[in-house]
Each structure stands twice: as C-alpha cells, then as structure tokens.
C-alpha cells in the first residue's frame, strides 16, 4: 500500500500560535497526512513563525533556514505560516531563501490544498477519501489551551496583531464548552484559557462580556480540575471577573495580566488606556479579594521616549506590586506599528541595562515568594515523569505551563497528569523541590 505523505510542524512563539498550529495539524491529519516529530524525516515541514519583537523574528528566520536546509535531504517542501508572513515576508525571502509557500492566516483552512499542490500526487487513498474531522493537540495530554477568540480590538502602539489578525471575534460559547468537554473526556486536567485579550470575550457575539459566564460553565465540566486564565487586559479586570476568580471551584487564583509599563507617560505613548494608579488599584483588588492569588505580567523596557525617571517609576511599581512572575522584553520596532514612527528611540545599551536591572529586581521578589512557600503543602500537577535519575517535574496551581516555575520531586511512580499533594522542601532559583507527604 502506498505511504501517506508526512508533515512535521515547528511551532514558535506563544500558546496562541500553538493553537493555530493545532488547527493546521488537524486539517492535514484530516486529509490523511501523517505527522512526524523529526522534521528531517518528513515530506513537508511547516514553520509557524512568531513576529513579536526582533528576538522572536530572528529565531523564526533561523528556524526557517534550518528547515530549508533539510531540502538537501528528503524534505520536499517548506511552508511558512504565522505572524511573520504578513509584515516580514520580504525579510524571510532575503534572509532565508528557499521557502516554497507562505501561508497567511486567511489561507489556514486551505493548508491541505496548498500542501497537496506542492507534493507529488500521493497515490494513497487518503487523498480521495472524504475529509474527516480530526482534532490534534500539540500539548501533553493532561493540559490543553482553549482559545476563546481571535483578533484584538485594542490599538497598542507597539503591536500589529489587530492589523494582521483583525478585530476580536469570539467563538460561540456552546462550541467552547463542547470542546472543553471533549478535552476533559480525553484526559485533560488543566484548561488554559487564552485569547489576544481574554477579558472581553463575548462582547462582539452577545453584546455583553461573557468571560465570567464562560469560566463558570467550564468550571462545571467533570474531569477538568484546573482552569487558568491568561492574557487579561488591565482595564477589563473588573468586579465580576475578580469575583469569579475568588469563588469558582476550579478556576485557579491565578491571572496573567500583561501591564507593559507603569509610567503614565509611557503607557500613554503605548496607547494602553490606563495609568499606574489603575494598575495599583487592580493589583490591590485582586490581592484583597482572591485568596492566595498569583499574578503574572510582562513589561517592555526601552519603549520610545522612556526616560530614566519613567524606568525608575516602573521599578518602583514592581517593588510595590510584587507580582509572582514577570517577563520582560526589550522594545524593538515592529514594522507597520505606530510606535515605529515615534521619536525618542532608546539606545540598545540602555535597553540592556534597564532589562538587567528589572530582572534583578524581580529575581529578589520571585525568590522571596519561593522561600515563603517552603514548608507548605501544595497541590501539584505532574508534567513529566522521573527519568534517568532526573526528578519528576510538576507545577503548582500558581504556575502556568512553559512559563512559570517547576516543582521537582524525586519519585519514580509519578506520571504526567497525576494531581497530588506535596510538601515544598526547598527552592533552587525560580524552581522548587518537594516530597510526597508521609
Ligand atoms: S492587547 Fe495590545 S498588545 Fe495585545 S494583541 Fe491587542 S493590540 Fe496587541
């Protein structure tokens, strides 16, 4: 019998991109493609790029170059999708020549047609059978991302997502609940709810904000143990949402809320629609009303016009808010963004220095939070079993997959997806050690 065509995916960037990759994989699986882990063994390689800031773009270009080089072996074609296709196609063509097709967002549903055009006709019946619905997951089986909307209505000066992905479009609530049920039936214990802005869900479809209502419906699905909300917008963290985080059984006391800066003048230039006072109130409300809440945020340093005083104000806010998790980026121009036209560009050396100072400040805070947790008993979800003398890896309720801290446990019996109680016995940098009680 003829072999089916094979495809390998390299998904870069954020979980939103990963969910897009899952959609692309599902479409190709539904047409009979086999998905392989190792790109060099595949007929076709798809690179789903991330265009967020210069460092991500450079990683994407390097990855494309590596994929194109595989055409010297058995790979027959390289497709490039993702955020770079819109605004950085020229850069890719110049720096990583040899891509066979670029796949913009509007063509995602036709990726199977594009792939089939590129490859020699496969005599296997898989190309002629009816398309069957396939739902691929690129996460380990015990957690999954649930993308609740596409696009964004904000106009942040440093971002081109609204231009390339369009305005916010919510997915129907019933469809999301059905998807979550399917995931729970497959063994998913943790649902990570994502969107460009997850806190305005439903306003387009239903005329009112349905984020909390959706979270309550997900909360009632049997089998789902943890529900984690990522990518909240500060001005949308209102009473109803805070109450939901405080009272729902399985919606975790965790919020990823990118704040981007804390100086009023920088936030104004960024067009974020809030100032430091609003951020301080939001953090205080969350701390006061949601017991044990853990906060994650991101900040950009070196945005055009950021002065020493602006940066000191950011540091001051970081000391005040003491968020558990903080990611920082050095600003870089995004082609087509409003910020790219702003004056007052900050020299790279100053961005580096500010980045280092911010991360050092946060390190002390993160380490202090970790020290404070030593001796406590925590629920953890196991992500990986112990292997070759290395401990099992788990996460607390206050830690999101991929980006937050890990808990290491020396125990060979633990398996991914186990939800257990552990005693935190020590801290190593950003991570923790634990043992099973008893
Ligand atoms: S909220 Fe701002 S940064 Fe986030 S996707 Fe929308 S425009 Fe971009």
């Amino acid at each position: 019998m003829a072999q089916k065509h094979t495809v390998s995916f390299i998904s870069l960037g954020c979980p939103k991109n990963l969910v897009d990759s899952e959609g692309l994989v599902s479409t190709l699986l539904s047409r009979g493609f086999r998905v392989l882990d190792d790109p060099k063994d595949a007929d076709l390689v798809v690179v789903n790029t991330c265009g967020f800031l210069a460092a991500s773009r450079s990683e994407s270009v390097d990855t494309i170059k590596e994929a194109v080089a595989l055409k010297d072996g058995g790979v027959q074609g390289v497709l490039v999708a993702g955020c770079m296709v819109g605004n950085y196609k020229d850069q890719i063509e110049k720096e990583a020549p040899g891509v066979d097709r670029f796949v913009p967002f509007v063509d995602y549903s036709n990726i199977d047609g594009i792939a089939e055009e590129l490859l020699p006709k496969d005599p296997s019946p898989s190309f002629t059978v009816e398309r069957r619905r396939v739902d691929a997951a690129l996460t380990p089986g015990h957690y999954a991302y649930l993308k609740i909307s596409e696009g964004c209505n904000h106009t942040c000066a440093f971002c081109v997502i609204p231009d390339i992905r369009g305005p916010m479009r919510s997915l129907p609530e019933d469809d999301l609940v059905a998807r979550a049920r399917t995931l729970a039936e497959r063994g998913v214990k943790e649902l990570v709810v994502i969107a460009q802005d997850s806190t305005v869900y439903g306003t387009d479809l239903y005329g009112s904000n349905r984020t909390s209502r959706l979270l309550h419906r997900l909360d009632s699905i049997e089998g789902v143990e943890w529900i984690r909300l990522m990518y909240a917008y500060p001005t949308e963290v209102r009473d109803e949402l805070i109450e939901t985080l405080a009272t729902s059984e399985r919606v975790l006391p965790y919020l990823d809320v990118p704040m981007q800066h804390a100086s009023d003048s920088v936030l104004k230039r960024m067009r974020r629609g809030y100032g430091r006072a609003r951020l301080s109130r939001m953090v205080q409300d969350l701390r006061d009303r949601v017991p044990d809440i853990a906060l994650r945020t991101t900040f950009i340093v070196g945005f055009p016009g950021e002065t020493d005083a602006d940066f000191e104000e950011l540091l001051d806010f970081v000391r005040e808010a003491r968020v558990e998790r903080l990611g920082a980026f050095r600003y870089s121009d995004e082609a087509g963004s409003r910020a790219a036209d702003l004056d007052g560009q900050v020299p790279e050396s100053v961005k580096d220095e500010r980045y280092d100072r911010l991360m050092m400040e946060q390190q002390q805070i993160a380490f202090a939070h970790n020290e404070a947790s030593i001796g406590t008993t925590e629920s953890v979800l196991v992500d990986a079993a112990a292997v070759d003398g290395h401990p099992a890896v788990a996460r607390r309720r206050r830690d999101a997959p991929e980006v937050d801290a890990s808990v290491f446990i020396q125990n060979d019996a633990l398996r991914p997806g186990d939800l257990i109680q552990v005693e935190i016995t020590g801290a190593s940098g950003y991570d923790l050690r634990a043992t099973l009680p008893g």
Side-chain angles (χ1 to χ4, degrees):
M1 194 176 116
Q3 290 293 306
K4 291 172 179 174
H5 282 312
T6 54
V7 61
S8 184
F9 265 78
I10 305 171
S11 191
L12 302 168
C14 65
K16 290 160 270 189
N17 224 27
L18 189 74
V19 173
D20 283 350
S21 293
E22 289 178 341
L24 294 169
V25 169
S26 300
T27 303
L28 290 170
L29 282 172
S30 73
R31 292 293 287 179
F33 277 73
R34 267 194 315 130
V35 177
L36 303 181
D37 284 341
D38 193 339
K40 79 174 170 2
D41 298 333
D43 300 323
L44 193 67
V45 178
V46 182
V47 182
N48 198 0
T49 57
C50 172
F52 181 58
L53 303 179
S56 316
R57 295 195 288 274
S58 146
E59 184 193 8
S60 293
V61 168
D62 288 347
T63 307
I64 295 166
K65 272 191 213 158
E66 286 165 21
V68 168
L70 295 176
K71 292 206 291 183
D72 292 339
V75 170
Q76 296 170 47
V78 172
L79 299 184
V80 170
C83 292
M84 280 190 80
V85 171
N87 285 359
Y88 293 95
K89 195 168 147 209
D90 292 350
Q91 181 188 347
I92 297 171
E93 282 173 332
K94 189 159 156 248
E95 295 176 18
V99 171
D100 294 278
R101 295 288 164 82
F102 290 92
V103 189
F105 295 123
V106 290
D107 287 342
Y108 276 14
S109 58
N110 186 35
I111 187 150
D112 50 342
I114 295 170
E116 285 170 11
E117 264 172 45
L118 201 62
L119 294 170
K121 184 81 179 147
D122 182 349
S124 115
S126 62
F127 270 46
T128 53
V129 293
E130 286 282 291
R131 210 182 218 195
R132 63 199 160 89
R133 185 163 160 67
V134 177
D135 229 347
L138 295 175
T139 49
H142 59 282
Y143 73 83
Y145 293 105
L146 185 70
K147 183 151 87 170
I148 60 175
S149 66
E150 183 54 89
C152 182
N153 290 341
H154 295 285
T155 56
C156 305
F158 50 82
C159 180
V160 292
I161 291 284
D163 298 326
I164 57 182
R165 297 216 175 213
M168 194 271 288
R169 290 151 344 260
S170 301
L171 289 152
E173 199 179 300
D174 287 346
D175 292 1
L176 291 171
V177 172
R179 166 100 181 123
R181 275 209 188 92
T182 306
L183 290 168
E185 280 159 14
R186 279 193 210 158
V188 166
K189 299 257 178 73
E190 178 180 2
L191 277 180
V192 185
V193 176
I194 60 169
Q196 303 297 341
D197 169 3
S198 61
T199 42
V200 288
Y201 171 73
T203 48
D204 57 326
L205 264 189
Y206 305 109
S208 63
N209 191 315
R210 297 266 186 118
T211 308
S212 286
R213 185 184 139 122
L214 174 65
L215 290 172
H216 282 298
R217 287 187 70 186
L218 298 177
D219 191 25
S220 67
I221 294 173
E222 195 149 338
V224 174
E225 303 291 344
W226 289 3
I227 299 162
R228 188 183 301 282
L229 188 63
M230 307 280 282
Y231 313 129
Y233 200 85
T235 51
E236 302 300 329
V237 180
R238 299 170 197 265
D239 273 355
E240 190 186 16
L241 180 64
I242 295 175
E243 197 58 22
T244 303
L245 294 175
T247 57
S248 305
E249 200 182 329
R250 285 170 284 194
V251 178
L252 297 173
Y254 177 98
L255 195 64
D256 179 339
V257 50
M259 302 183 213
Q260 311 301 9
H261 214 282
S263 143
D264 288 353
S265 68
V266 176
L267 285 166
K268 192 162 181 219
R269 285 165 80 87
M270 285 179 165
R271 301 169 60 98
R272 293 286 288 180
Y274 53 83
R276 175 172 175 174
R278 177 76 182 83
L279 292 179
S280 294
R281 265 201 319 278
M282 175 192 73
V283 171
Q284 197 57 50
D285 274 357
L286 286 162
R287 297 258 188 238
D288 287 348
R289 293 172 56 191
V290 187
D292 274 338
I293 189 159
L295 298 175
R296 176 176 187 81
T297 195
T298 47
F299 290 117
I300 296 174
V301 296
F303 188 77
E306 183 192 62
T307 62
D308 286 344
D310 292 323
F311 180 67
E312 291 302 329
E313 175 139 29
L314 172 58
L315 286 184
D316 189 58
F317 175 77
V318 166
R319 288 180 207 115
E320 169 199 300
R322 297 184 66 76
V323 297
E324 284 73 5
R325 307 285 172 229
L326 185 155
F329 300 97
R330 298 166 183 83
Y331 171 79
S332 63
D333 278 339
E334 182 94 5
S337 69
R338 292 177 172 88
D341 295 329
L342 288 177
D343 52 11
Q345 290 286 334
V346 176
E348 292 304 316
S349 59
V350 175
K351 287 181 198 167
D352 289 346
E353 187 207 320
R354 289 178 183 169
Y355 174 88
D356 290 344
R357 282 186 64 200
L358 175 59
M359 293 317 286
M360 284 309 291
E361 195 69 51
Q362 176 61 20
Q363 191 181 69
Q364 294 175 37
I365 295 166
F367 287 7
H369 281 302
N370 273 0
E371 288 293 325
S373 70
I374 295 173
T376 59
T377 300
E378 301 254 11
S379 294
V380 297
L381 183 61
V382 177
D383 280 329
V387 59
D388 296 338
H390 295 288
V393 185
R395 269 181 300 114
R396 295 172 297 172
R397 290 151 54 93
R398 48 183 39 231
D399 294 307
E402 307 289 338
V403 287
D404 290 339
S406 296
V407 178
F408 298 109
I409 311 159
Q410 284 291 0
N411 187 306
D412 291 340
L414 298 175
R415 293 289 167 264
D418 287 351
L419 198 51
I420 53 167
Q421 295 282 109
V422 295
E423 280 173 14
I424 305 295
T425 54
S428 333
Y430 289 97
D431 297 316
L432 294 161
R433 295 184 301 278
T435 55
L436 268 60

